[in-house]
Amino acid sequence: YNENLAVISMDSFLQDRDQAILWRGPKKTAAIRQFLSDVAWGPLDFLLIDSPPGTGDEHITILKTITDAQSVTVTTPQEISLADVRKAVNFLQVAEGKVLGVVENMSYVACPDCGKKIYLFGEGKTAQAAAAHNLPLLAEMPIDPALASLTDAGSIEDFQGDWLKTVADRLAEK
């Protein structure tokens, strides 16, 4: 816990971290609504909801519950992920949800010796997909072992990379 960061997850309620949650639409919808209405969030600048890829119940519930919700789609450079993003953006446009832009995760690896960007999954596909929907590409986030390690340790707030700040600054402008 960080004084500026509050988190809730179904994972927090499981007795066994490897336990699967076998819920269908109505139970998922009820859980999302309960997280949004029954959690004492306090004053918020932002509420970030990490939802699964796709166009399912979770997204419809969020859009109907938070009528002024704004979204950022996150993808990786692989075509299978970009296909999901195109569907999600189309869904949000049909549902009249506001899309602020696209973030590409695992965009590249920076060589630890020279800093050169190595595009393991190809380059430029996400920028093209974003442009096709008239959306900005907000960031190309590298694969970063330090970030992965801090995330696993529950200490993401200690990360020193500047590309997360760039995304936050660009979103704050909107």
Side-chain angles (χ1 to χ4, degrees):
Y1 174 77
N2 176 299
E3 67 184 54
N4 296 316
L5 179 67
V7 176
I8 192 163
S9 169
M10 286 304 300
D11 193 55
S12 303
F13 298 102
L14 301 177
Q15 292 177 356
D16 176 359
R17 292 190 64 117
D18 294 331
Q19 178 183 346
I21 300 173
L22 304 175
W23 285 358
R24 296 186 72 180
K27 280 205 165 220
K28 290 192 293 186
T29 298
I32 291 167
R33 285 193 177 126
Q34 189 168 9
F35 279 175
L36 294 174
S37 65
D38 293 354
V39 173
W41 292 107
L44 293 175
D45 292 324
F46 298 97
L47 175 64
L48 301 175
I49 300 171
D50 182 8
S51 64
T55 56
D57 292 336
E58 298 90 344
H59 307 97
I60 293 169
T61 300
I62 292 164
L63 288 175
K64 292 202 179 283
T65 306
I66 306 173
T67 56
D68 60 347
Q70 300 176 26
S71 65
V72 172
T73 59
V74 179
T75 187
T76 60
Q78 298 93 330
E79 180 54 38
I80 191 78
S81 182
L82 288 166
D84 284 343
V85 164
R86 286 190 291 270
K87 290 174 190 165
V89 169
N90 179 265
F91 162 82
L92 288 162
Q93 289 172 336
V94 168
E96 298 180 1
K98 183 169 182 179
V99 184
L100 299 175
V102 179
V103 170
E104 183 179 82
N105 195 14
M106 300 191 319
S107 186
Y108 60 90
V109 174
C111 174
D113 295 324
C114 69
K116 179 182 176 186
K117 293 180 180 179
I118 303 165
Y119 294 92
L120 299 173
F121 306 111
E123 182 181 5
K125 297 180 232 169
T126 302
Q128 292 169 356
H133 288 283
N134 296 317
L135 295 171
L137 178 59
L138 297 170
E140 294 175 316
M141 297 172 37
I143 296 172
D144 189 323
L147 177 60
S149 179
L150 288 168
T151 301
D152 288 345
S155 301
I156 193 169
E157 65 274 6
D158 295 333
F159 184 67
Q160 298 300 312
D162 62 349
W163 40 262
L164 290 173
K165 183 180 179 333
T166 302
V167 174
D169 289 345
R170 290 188 73 182
L171 293 176
E173 292 170 3
K174 298 191 177 280

